[in-house]
Amino acid sequence: MATKQELELAKRLIQARVLPEDVVKQAFGIQEHFRKKGTQASLVKIFYAKEWLPKGSLDVLNAPSPLEMQPLADYHLEEEIGEGGSSTVYRGTYLANGSSVAIKILDPVQALRPDFLERFQREAGILIELEHENVVLGYEVGFQSGRHFFSMEFVEGLTVLDVIDRRGFLENTEALSITLQCARALQYLHAAGYLHRDIKPGNIMIEESGTARLIDLGLIHTLDGGEPQEGEEATTVGTVEYLSPEQARGRADLDPRSDIYSLGVSLYHMVVGDVPFHGETDYEVMAKQVLSALDTQKVKQRRIAPEVHFFITKMTSKDRENRFESVEEVIRDIEAYLPQGVVPVDFGDEPAPPAAPPAAPPVAKPVQPTQPPAPTAPRVPPAKPAPAAPSDDAPIRRKSRKGQPPVRRRRRR
């Protein structure tokens, strides 16, 4: 009989579309056949024996967690700071000079899908190649101890979504400042030939100084008008609450105006405190993206500045011909309204930890005479090695996928 761990693994493999359900059922049948003969056969060994999965590809699942295992030779993982559907992000230290970095590790099951692995490596490669003050810097991409990873700049702050969750909404100038900086990042990406396709508050990191950076380029795609990458379904690429109507329709001829729509929905979310469309299913939300107008009543209730209302309306027009033609136009109009540029952001109060459940009253026990315990030496935490002095330059020489370390440029201030 399959163990609980094997049932969970089977579920993950099917949900990740690594193996079809009928193949997994066949593996369970083989396992049951061996059991009736009095022999135990693990599900993983059956996958390997039948060559349904590469031998050793799932062994890392039985290894300790990355925080326990410390699988990367040049880094020390400190804590988990984010988790998505296909990867986990850790704060870590680059051991060569003690610099703080963010390290993204691909889920081992998702790594078995060639399209997910290619997307992961493409994101890393683009972050390494490009450099803009509003896009997080990539440093190194690699594979160690059975795990695919890449390291990038660590940004001290919160995602815009975190700030919305804390405060409910952002003020007009705060939201416009973030929108303007994201538009500048998109201008840079579009000029380099890329479409982001997943602009949303959860993908924007903000410092208290107000500096914003795009932190996730996992769905980035070339602006060539071609078909989606292998394994991608156009109607499901991106986050449905922020998809442009043409993206929701599955059109392949996406252009920069699709990113402008998503940025406009993000601006709406920042100032209203909610996304414009909800639904029981993703398809219901996508249908509203195509057919339904934004609820302007929510904007009026929040007393949004007329100029901000104009930006939202112009950026989120259902007909892309009526939107801003390019992010350059978005930048020009917002700069005319917000001449001071970057605006500091109030992070709000940190959420209080959940209240502990009330403790049960103690049960009275008869007192038994006992000998006092022998004194013990106090526990001393293990000493941490002192990190090397930080370098004057960037933390890491950025390494390309081909292993050629390009010359590291300083960030322009």
Side-chain angles (χ1 to χ4, degrees), residues 33-311:
H33 173 76
F34 278 109
R35 188 190 67 80
K36 289 180 179 179
K37 288 189 173 185
T39 305
Q40 296 294 327
S42 73
L43 199 65
V44 170
K45 288 185 177 179
I46 294 171
F47 290 146
Y48 292 165
K50 286 289 187 179
E51 297 184 348
W52 289 328
L53 292 176
K55 190 172 182 179
S57 59
L58 293 177
D59 293 358
V60 71
L61 294 178
N62 297 320
S65 72
L67 286 174
E68 296 176 83
M69 184 181 178
Q70 294 296 331
L72 310 180
D74 295 330
Y75 304 88
H76 184 269
L77 305 182
E78 307 289 348
E79 63 175 332
E80 182 180 323
I81 57 175
E83 184 176 10
S86 62
S87 58
T88 303
V89 181
Y90 300 87
R91 180 179 64 83
T93 301
Y94 183 55
L95 297 176
N97 59 14
S99 297
S100 292
V101 293
I103 302 163
K104 192 171 188 177
I105 298 181
L106 183 62
D107 177 78
V109 171
Q110 302 288 356
L112 294 172
R113 284 187 55 177
D115 56 321
F116 269 65
L117 179 57
E118 191 274 337
R119 181 186 298 171
F120 182 84
Q121 292 174 333
R122 182 171 73 239
E123 177 188 8
I126 291 171
L127 288 177
I128 289 169
E129 292 165 12
L130 303 182
E131 184 170 352
H132 187 272
E133 62 184 354
N134 299 121
V135 180
V136 68
L137 289 169
Y139 293 132
E140 179 182 9
V141 58
F143 176 81
Q144 291 182 21
S145 305
R147 300 179 190 272
H148 294 272
F149 76 96
F150 69 83
S151 63
M152 52 189 163
E153 177 183 18
F154 176 74
V155 181
E156 191 71 53
L158 298 174
T159 68
V160 173
L161 183 60
D162 290 334
V163 178
I164 296 172
D165 289 342
R166 285 186 177 193
R167 293 175 46 194
F169 58 86
L170 276 67
E171 298 299 333
N172 289 337
T173 55
E174 293 174 320
L176 280 182
S177 173
I178 293 168
T179 303
L180 175 60
Q181 293 177 76
C182 290
R184 289 169 177 162
L186 288 175
Q187 179 185 29
Y188 177 75
L189 291 176
H190 294 167
Y194 296 110
L195 192 69
H196 189 282
R197 300 197 300 175
D198 199 23
I199 295 292
K200 59 182 180 180
N203 282 345
I204 305 166
M205 186 69 76
I206 188 78
E207 300 176 0
E208 285 187 294
S209 65
T211 300
R213 290 187 183 89
L214 298 181
I215 59 171
D216 193 327
L217 272 62
L219 297 182
I220 201 165
H221 188 50
T222 54
L223 268 170
D224 55 7
E227 294 297 325
Q229 296 285 337
E230 180 183 356
E232 293 181 353
E233 298 178 22
T235 55
T236 58
V237 169
T239 306
V240 293
E241 288 82 4
Y242 307 90
L243 289 181
S244 67
E246 58 270 24
Q247 202 171 349
R249 288 191 183 103
R251 292 181 60 165
D253 61 336
L254 300 181
D255 62 29
R257 291 171 292 182
S258 181
D259 280 345
I260 291 173
Y261 182 94
S262 300
L263 185 58
V265 175
S266 298
L267 175 58
Y268 179 99
H269 190 175
M270 284 188 268
V271 295
V272 172
D274 195 10
V275 292
F277 304 118
H278 294 275
E280 294 295 326
T281 66
D282 286 352
Y283 292 104
E284 185 177 339
V285 178
M286 287 191 288
K288 291 180 179 179
Q289 294 284 25
V290 174
L291 301 172
S292 301
L294 268 66
D295 185 356
T296 57
Q297 189 61 35
K298 290 183 179 180
V299 178
K300 293 176 182 178
Q301 289 172 351
R302 277 277 299 109
R303 297 183 179 179
I304 306 300
E307 293 84 356
V308 178
H309 193 179
F310 165 77
F311 293 138

Side-chain angles (χ1 to χ4, degrees), residues 1-8 10 27-28 31-32 35 40-43:
M1 180 178 293
T3 65
K4 181 180 179 180
Q5 290 78 8
E6 288 177 329
L7 292 172
E8 286 296 324
F28 279 128
Q31 188 181 50
E32 179 65 14
R35 188 190 67 80
Q40 296 294 327
S42 73
L43 199 65

